Amino acid sequence: MKIIYCEDHRLHFPQAELSGGQFVTPFERPSRVEYVLNRLKERKLTQISAPDPVDMKPVQALLDPGYLIFLETAWDEWKAAGMEGEIIAANVPARGMHMDRIPDNIDGKVGYYCHASETAMTQGTWAAALSSVASAQTAQRLVADGADSAFALCRPPGHHATADQYGGYCFINNAAVVADMFRASGAEKVAILDIDFHHGNGTQALFYDRSDVMFASLHGAPQDAYPYYLGYADETGVGAGEGFNLNYPMPPGTPYDVWREALDDSIAKISAWGAEALVVSLGVDAYKEDPISFFKLESDDFTDAGRRIGRMKLPTVFCMEGGYAVEAVGINTVNVLEGFKDA
Ligand code: OKP
Ligand code: ZN
């Protein structure tokens, strides 16, 4: 399996994440990628290359133009306004306020384009986010050109980012861009399977009214887990998209046998629909030791999950999402890929 990775991810490393009322070192940190790279090498998966330059057209086609300009210019505006620290959203439009009037003040703009203030932006965030989506795009082109599968070692992750909001460590929705590129390269039906512990709210929102991209997400129930305000089972799509959004919220302590039933159900639905290409939002934070999650998967379970996904025999692009038990992130991620290849 070809692996695409860009070292520019390191340009995004905020000092601080707001967690439990304190600033802590972000859980989503550069070393996560190093653990995955080391494990890939240990397992002799060495077909690793850098991405081609980012192609902004598919990104612009999917996302809000004002949001993209914001991401590109926010740091300079923040500094020009005399802000001393990293960009952190301190205000967001709440119930009863205007949801569609964009302030001129950068502090107001940040809140408008952000949905979760744990996520800081820095000088290098935009470049890192572009390098992440570039890896996803290069992986997509390899698969569209005939490879069975490819793994984009994306960082920062993407599945919480919507058309016009960042948060949950995500800025550009890599998996969504890949799905749209599969549509443009001829696939009529594209599925996105999100096995990250957290609900892929951004991906759901981007395709909620569409019948050409099916979205399935296995995640911690919103009553108990970020992103809290989306991810219920009764969110099934709207208009033409009705029936094409599948949510599998699960409670604290969920073990693999329960999680696997959800996985099998999602796989059965994607297969029965006749998807022609698959994008996997590959987070490994369902792992039992993950510091910010509450499922109970063991490392071997990720191999089994990969095998089940591989049995679909679909052209597949994996996009890295979350996973914060850093020492196990490499093992669990590569287990999914090896299970997939072994199917
Ligand atoms: C991103 B991905 C820690 C709370 C963290 C945000 C989680 C973002 C997860 N105090 N809340 O889906 O792995
Ligand atoms: Zn996650």
Side-chain angles (χ1 to χ4, degrees):
M1 183 183 302
K2 286 248 174 67
I3 298 142
I4 312 297
Y5 145 78
C6 182
E7 62 184 20
D8 287 353
H9 76 87
R10 294 197 198 103
L11 298 170
H12 173 67
F13 186 21
Q15 289 174 28
E17 167 176 341
L18 183 57
S19 176
Q22 287 182 303
F23 285 116
V24 302
T25 300
F27 290 94
E28 201 293 288
R29 59 187 68 171
S31 62
R32 299 174 57 248
V33 166
E34 304 308 320
Y35 281 101
V36 177
L37 285 172
N38 288 340
R39 183 62 178 172
L40 286 165
K41 282 168 198 156
E42 247 171 62
R43 302 299 298 171
K44 308 271 184 279
L45 293 163
T46 52
Q47 285 185 286
I48 305 176
S49 36
D52 298 329
V54 65
D55 176 3
M56 287 308 288
K57 282 201 201 72
V59 179
Q60 286 159 345
L62 188 63
L63 306 182
D64 178 77
Y67 176 57
L68 293 171
I69 292 168
F70 163 77
L71 288 178
E72 187 173 1
T73 57
W75 181 259
D76 289 344
E77 275 194 51
W78 187 256
K79 289 291 119 179
M83 309 296 196
E84 298 285 344
E86 298 177 333
I87 300 178
I88 296 183
N91 338 259
V92 296
R95 273 186 292 285
M97 294 180 168
H98 290 288
M99 290 289 167
D100 50 8
R101 296 187 188 177
I102 307 172
D104 295 327
N105 183 286
I106 185 62
D107 190 41
K109 251 193 240 180
V110 165
Y112 177 83
Y113 286 116
C114 180
H115 71 264
S117 61
E118 88 284 281
T119 299
M121 285 177 67
T122 64
Q123 183 158 31
T125 298
W126 171 242
L130 289 181
S131 80
S132 189
V133 72
S135 290
Q137 291 183 317
T138 300
Q140 190 279 336
R141 283 189 291 265
L142 286 169
V143 173
D145 290 348
D148 306 333
S149 59
F151 171 47
L153 181 37
C154 296
R155 180 182 177 274
H159 70 152
H160 298 302
T162 67
D164 62 1
Q165 284 188 311
Y166 71 95
Y169 317 149
C170 301
F171 302 91
I172 295 178
N173 195 317
N174 306 305
V177 170
V178 168
D180 235 13
M181 286 175 67
F182 270 126
R183 287 286 295 110
S185 61
E188 301 273 330
K189 298 177 176 184
V190 180
I192 305 175
L193 174 59
D194 188 329
I195 64 168
D196 184 281
F197 168 82
H198 300 93
H199 177 242
N201 62 289
T203 317
Q204 167 169 317
L206 282 162
F207 299 110
Y208 207 56
D209 61 357
R210 284 173 55 171
S211 58
D212 56 337
V213 177
M214 179 179 278
F215 178 61
S217 179
L218 281 57
H219 51 267
Q223 294 92 335
D224 295 302
Y226 174 85
Y228 297 117
Y229 315 107
L230 209 64
Y232 290 85
D234 61 4
E235 298 157 13
T236 54
V238 71
E242 180 63 54
F244 295 94
N245 193 85
L246 310 172
N247 279 335
Y248 298 86
M250 289 169 275
T254 295
Y256 185 60
D257 60 336
V258 173
W259 193 90
R260 188 192 59 215
E261 278 179 38
L263 179 67
D264 284 346
D265 193 74
S266 67
I267 286 172
K269 289 184 168 131
I270 289 168
S271 298
W273 179 50
E276 294 151 56
L278 177 67
V279 187
V280 178
S281 266
L282 176 53
V284 292
D285 37 10
Y287 182 54
K288 62 179 180 180
E289 308 278 0
D290 196 89
I292 62 169
S293 309
F294 55 60
F295 290 166
K296 296 286 169 233
L297 272 63
E298 311 272 348
S299 287
D300 288 346
D301 297 331
F302 287 98
T303 313
D304 186 69
R307 208 175 283 122
R308 286 163 197 272
I309 295 168
R311 288 195 200 117
M312 279 191 270
K313 297 290 172 207
L314 288 174
T316 300
V317 170
F318 292 91
C319 293
M320 190 78 214
E321 303 282 0
Y324 308 98
V326 282
E327 270 141 59
V329 167
I331 293 169
N332 295 339
T333 301
V334 176
N335 279 0
V336 172
L337 303 178
E338 292 192 308
F340 177 90
K341 286 306 276 179
D342 190 50

